[in-house]
Amino acid sequence: MTPLEIAGSMNMLGYGLATLGPAIGVGWIFASVINGTARQPEARGAMMSTAFIGFAVVEALAIIGIALAFVLQ
Amino acid sequence: MTPLEIAGSMNMLGYGLATLGPAIGVGWIFASVINGTARQPEARGAMMSTAFIGFAVVEALAIIGIALAFVLQ
Amino acid sequence: MTPLEIAGSMNMLGYGLATLGPAIGVGWIFASVINGTARQPEARGAMMSTAFIGFAVVEALAIIGIALAFVLQ
């Protein structure tokens, strides 16, 4: 019986899944800043500082996925 | 019994998953700029600078996926 | 018992996944231009130039998927 040989790593599949949520979440955050700027341009500074807090904690999930793809065997 | 022969790599599957979130996220960001331009055309410059920050951090997740598809074995 | 014979490549599956997000993202961007034109027809030029920037960076993710499908083994 010929063994089943599939190239590549399951970790790449996991990284692809790990980017799905953070990319949509961070896109949502910055889209909200843009919508808020269109409604009230003078509040852009306060919105951006909130956006960077949200960006940091959401993007961290994908960055941790990069590290895990190398660590897990 | 014929062996199961599947060509290709799991990494391509992972890259396909890794583009799903960033493409929707970046599309959302630029759609917000377009909607904001329709509402308040004079704020387009401030919205575009916010959009490029968001675009950079979201698109990076897909670009990292290209690199990981070659690195992970 | 019939043996399991499946032809084809995993890379085709990955390309199919890689088109899912960009197609939704680019469709969203141009749909926003249409909605914005309906609201404010004189801003169509500024909206179209924003749409082409967004289209280029989102569609690129799917085009890169075509190249990766040939490169990855």
Side-chain angles (χ1 to χ4, degrees):
Chain A
M1 191 172 113
T2 311
L4 184 60
E5 285 188 46
I6 298 178
S9 168
M10 289 284 273
N11 286 359
M12 185 62 209
L13 213 64
Y15 172 72
L17 276 171
T19 64
L20 178 52
I24 293 177
V26 174
W28 198 343
I29 288 173
F30 281 98
S32 296
V33 173
I34 293 165
N35 283 331
T37 303
R39 193 177 295 165
Q40 195 156 358
E42 65 269 23
R44 187 174 171 262
M47 287 188 284
M48 282 300 279
S49 60
T50 307
F52 278 115
I53 296 172
F55 153 70
V57 295
V58 175
E59 190 96 349
L61 295 176
I63 305 295
I64 289 169
I66 301 172
L68 280 186
F70 286 102
V71 172
L72 295 178
Q73 295 296 335
Chain B
M1 188 172 118
T2 310
L4 184 61
E5 286 186 47
I6 298 178
S9 168
M10 292 282 275
N11 287 358
M12 185 63 210
L13 216 62
Y15 172 73
L17 277 171
T19 64
L20 179 51
I24 293 177
V26 174
W28 200 343
I29 288 173
F30 280 99
S32 297
V33 173
I34 293 165
N35 283 331
T37 303
R39 191 179 297 164
Q40 196 156 358
E42 65 270 22
R44 187 173 171 263
M47 287 188 283
M48 282 300 278
S49 60
T50 307
F52 278 114
I53 296 171
F55 154 70
V57 295
V58 174
E59 190 95 351
L61 294 177
I63 305 295
I64 289 169
I66 301 173
L68 280 185
F70 286 101
V71 171
L72 294 178
Q73 295 297 335
Chain C
M1 191 173 111
T2 311
L4 183 61
E5 284 187 50
I6 299 178
S9 167
M10 294 277 277
N11 287 358
M12 187 60 213
L13 216 61
Y15 173 71
L17 276 171
T19 64
L20 179 52
I24 294 177
V26 173
W28 199 344
I29 287 173
F30 282 100
S32 297
V33 173
I34 294 166
N35 282 331
T37 303
R39 190 181 298 164
Q40 197 157 357
E42 65 270 22
R44 186 172 172 268
M47 285 188 283
M48 281 301 278
S49 60
T50 307
F52 278 114
I53 296 171
F55 155 71
V57 295
V58 174
E59 190 91 354
L61 293 177
I63 305 294
I64 289 169
I66 300 173
L68 279 185
F70 286 102
V71 171
L72 293 178
Q73 295 297 335

